[in-house]
Amino acid sequence: MSTSANTEAVADAGSASPGRRCAACKNQRRKCAPDCILAPYFPASDPQRYACVQRVFGASNVARLLQSLPVQERAKAADTMAMEAQRRVEDPVYGCAGIVGSLQGEIRAVQCELARTQAQIAVHAAAARARPAVGARLNRHGHLCSSRVARGQLNRKEVTAILKVEST
């Protein structure tokens, strides 16, 4: 069961059941109040989730942040804090920023590869359009006559691209 599904299931059930403490109260060795702000988001069934959040952000900061948010946004905030805390425990220097940075690097690399591929497609398309039709005049080197360029059938970029392709 995912953490957000777990949080939603516990949030739907309300606060901690009578006689049962949430992970936060259990960690702090205190009685869980019926109106405990942390109970719906840090159930006793997942104490590691709260332990990471408490270690990174602190219990009072988490409770204060959740109280300052509207009720409908608290579950998402608790999930976000839990994920960030887990990442910071795994990678104390970068946390989630390390993952975001590596994903952005991958996006840039794929965008560059896409641009190169589009450029190659454009060159091949220009070369295909510029191939002489049957009966077209070629000069003594086997290239298209300059009269075709003068008539506007090919522009200079296409000619340059064709010459590059033919020379390779």
Side-chain angles (χ1 to χ4, degrees), residues 2-162:
S2 72
T3 57
S4 67
N6 191 11
T7 301
E8 289 171 8
V10 173
D12 290 340
S15 67
S17 60
R20 189 141 192 225
R21 297 183 296 180
C22 67
C25 294
K26 199 173 198 179
N27 183 287
Q28 295 174 359
R29 296 186 179 110
R30 67 178 183 197
K31 185 177 177 183
C32 192
D35 62 339
C36 179
I37 187 76
L38 300 172
Y41 313 108
F42 299 102
S45 60
D46 193 3
Q48 184 62 34
R49 175 181 157 113
Y50 175 74
C52 284
V53 170
Q54 192 266 338
R55 186 180 324 154
V56 173
F57 297 110
S60 62
N61 290 335
V62 172
R64 189 173 351 121
L65 178 75
L66 290 176
Q67 285 176 337
S68 69
L69 293 172
V71 176
Q72 64 270 17
E73 294 179 11
R74 290 179 183 174
K76 187 141 183 111
D79 287 340
T80 302
M81 284 189 289
M83 183 174 48
E84 176 66 25
Q86 181 65 35
R87 297 292 181 234
R88 284 190 188 179
V89 167
E90 291 171 2
D91 185 3
V93 175
Y94 294 108
C96 287
I99 294 170
V100 170
S102 67
L103 290 175
Q104 286 175 339
E106 288 180 30
I107 289 171
R108 279 191 297 274
V110 169
Q111 286 174 336
C112 288
E113 184 179 343
L114 177 63
R116 279 193 300 273
T117 304
Q118 288 173 335
Q120 288 175 348
I121 289 171
V123 167
H124 289 298
R129 283 193 314 267
R131 286 204 178 95
V134 177
R137 291 185 341 156
L138 300 176
N139 65 13
R140 61 189 168 125
H141 301 292
H143 299 292
L144 292 172
C145 292
S146 60
S147 62
R148 189 158 179 212
V149 174
R151 288 192 312 245
Q153 292 177 338
L154 289 177
N155 62 31
R156 293 194 188 280
K157 279 187 176 179
E158 290 176 319
V159 171
T160 306
I162 292 167

